[in-house]
Structure formats: structure tokens, C-alpha cells
Amino acid sequence: QVQLVESGGGLVQAGGSLRLSCAASGSIFSINTMGWYRQAPGKQRELVAFMTSSGSTKYADSVQGRFTISRDNAKNTVYLQMNSLKREDTGVYYCNLHDGSGYWGQGTQVTVSS
């Protein structure tokens, strides 16, 4: 059983920064993709960024240049450094791991105030 535990969400003013972390535990294939999705109220869940175990990354256009994804493969942990936050970044951020099967974290709330 794979478990994802997220941390680091919270309330921040526009222009501020937050860092999210997600630690995966359980039986995980070494070749995998870890990433972050978010869901704003009334909207569908969308990709924020992901990173493969070999280091390739992909970002949503809306966060390119402001957010940075990184990971520690030895710890099965992925991070999301979020800078220059905007109100539209508000939402529940979900960690995702895909290694042939897909797994989700419970979500962490990020609220950006003006």
C-alpha cells in the first residue's frame, strides 16, 4: 500500500511564498513520476507540475517561472516551491505519484489573500 503525506500549505499574502512537501511510503517502483495538481473551488483538478525519477519536469503555463518542483529520490519526497503567489493560485493542492499505478495524497489547502 502506497501512502502520500503532504505538508506545507497555509495562508499567505499575494506575492509571498510557500513550500509544499509530499513524502511517499510503501512499495514504489523506482521509475516513477511525482507531481502536484490543484483544484480551485468550482473548478476541475489541474496539473501544476510533475517531475520524473530521471529529472524531467513539466509545468503548467500559469506557474512557469514562479514555481519550482524538485525531488529527493532516496526519500521518495517531492517538493513544490511556490514564489510570487497570486490569488488565482488558491486551491487544494494534491500530491500524485504514478509508477504504473496512480496514487493521491489527501490534499493541502493553499490560500492566497490580496
Side-chain angles (χ1 to χ4, degrees):
Q1 185 76 7
V2 174
Q3 199 170 23
L4 303 178
V5 179
E6 300 136 332
S7 60
L11 173 65
V12 64
Q13 286 192 327
S17 298
L18 282 174
R19 188 187 194 219
L20 305 182
S21 299
C22 171
S25 61
S27 180
I28 303 166
F29 286 106
S30 59
I31 299 174
N32 59 68
T33 298
M34 295 186 76
W36 294 92
Y37 290 70
R38 69 186 179 190
Q39 188 165 18
K43 295 188 176 182
Q44 289 190 328
R45 192 174 297 189
E46 62 176 3
L47 172 70
V48 177
F50 70 71
M51 189 172 193
T52 68
S53 49
S54 61
S56 298
T57 59
K58 178 177 174 63
Y59 293 92
D61 290 344
S62 59
V63 306
Q64 185 78 43
R66 299 188 298 121
F67 291 11
T68 302
I69 191 168
S70 60
R71 59 186 288 171
D72 184 334
N73 288 336
K75 296 181 179 179
N76 284 325
T77 299
V78 65
Y79 307 95
L80 186 68
Q81 178 66 43
M82 305 185 293
N83 298 329
S84 302
L85 282 160
K86 304 176 181 180
R87 286 188 63 187
E88 51 264 42
D89 294 318
T90 294
V92 179
Y93 283 66
Y94 296 91
C95 178
N96 173 267
L97 182 148
H98 198 282
D99 65 351
S101 298
Y103 306 94
W104 292 95
Q106 79 283 359
T108 185
Q109 177 70 44
V110 172
T111 303
V112 184
S113 64
S114 58

